[in-house]
Amino acid sequence: MTDEKLKFTVVITSYNYENYIGAAIESALGQTRAIDQVLVIDDGSSDGSREIISGYKDRVSAIFQENAGMIGAWNRAYDFVEGDIVIYLDADDLLLSNAAEEIEKRWNSQLSKIQFDLEIIDEHGELLGRRFCDFRSEQSAKQTHDLFLRTGTYIWPVTSGNAYARKFLDQLMPISPPGG
């Protein structure tokens, strides 16, 4: 970690996740290392998601928009991100309570991203005994780099399970889908 205090933003995207959104927000707010900004973007939900999100009032920054799809939601939310480290969280996922603390312990100014396994749970929050991406051991940056050079890809979680450096995302955002 650097000597400078890092600011964390958790971006939660939601579309019709009334049954999950409250738990996702609580997992961001309940971190052992406080999150500086919890940014929730509702992408045109037609269920009760908006009411649940609105119930968090000053505890989250809420954005309500017409449905624009996942990429549209990411792009819109990014305009409001304040943190140095951005953790993306799908509305039907949860952060372990020490996720931000562990990310901060391992962070250094040379990183673009830290990725971590996701433990698979059922609709009641019970562990199913599976992990995604199921990294068997820590993979070094060099191993990841070499794998990418050899194959053009590497194993990584697509949204949840990633913490990005804002300075890295600033070079990518806004994103557009292939052919878009």
Side-chain angles (χ1 to χ4, degrees):
M1 190 192 113
T2 64
D3 292 334
E4 186 177 311
K5 175 95 164 103
L6 295 168
K7 286 182 69 177
F8 277 71
T9 294
V10 174
V11 175
I12 303 173
T13 55
S14 179
Y15 175 71
N16 288 338
Y17 278 113
E18 174 182 13
N19 294 334
Y20 303 98
I21 188 64
I25 292 169
E26 289 294 332
S27 77
L29 293 172
Q31 292 293 297
T32 56
R33 187 271 187 222
I35 299 298
D36 302 285
Q37 178 190 33
V38 177
L39 183 57
V40 183
I41 182 156
D42 183 90
D43 191 35
S45 293
S46 59
D47 63 2
S49 297
R50 289 180 180 226
E51 291 77 18
I52 293 168
I53 295 164
S54 294
Y56 284 91
K57 298 182 181 13
D58 297 336
R59 297 176 66 201
V60 304
S61 299
I63 302 167
F64 300 103
Q65 70 175 25
E66 294 298 316
N67 185 262
M70 180 69 81
I71 292 174
W74 288 338
N75 287 338
R76 176 88 189 282
Y78 197 72
D79 290 339
F80 297 90
V81 166
E82 298 171 359
D84 305 304
I85 298 174
V86 183
I87 300 172
Y88 284 96
L89 182 64
D90 293 340
D92 62 342
D93 292 335
L94 307 172
L95 287 173
L96 294 176
S97 63
N98 66 339
E101 180 181 350
E102 291 298 319
I103 291 164
E104 188 170 48
K105 281 182 196 174
R106 290 165 172 77
W107 196 262
N108 72 61
S109 63
Q110 300 302 305
L111 294 176
S112 297
K113 167 176 120 162
I114 288 180
Q115 62 191 38
F116 45 92
D117 267 345
L118 304 172
E119 295 180 286
I120 309 299
I121 58 176
D122 66 15
E123 67 275 8
H124 306 292
E126 299 296 321
L127 291 172
L128 295 178
R130 298 190 328 261
R131 297 169 68 89
F132 179 80
C133 291
D134 201 15
F135 301 111
R136 295 295 176 187
S137 62
E138 287 196 28
Q139 185 171 314
S140 72
K142 180 172 179 4
Q143 289 170 313
T144 302
H145 179 262
D146 292 348
L147 179 63
F148 186 78
L149 289 178
R150 261 194 339 273
T151 66
T153 191
Y154 65 99
I155 298 171
W156 60 288
V158 179
T159 51
S160 292
N162 294 292
Y164 292 96
R166 169 76 183 265
K167 66 183 181 190
F168 171 72
L169 291 176
D170 283 346
Q171 299 173 57
L172 301 176
M173 298 302 280
I175 57 174
S176 59

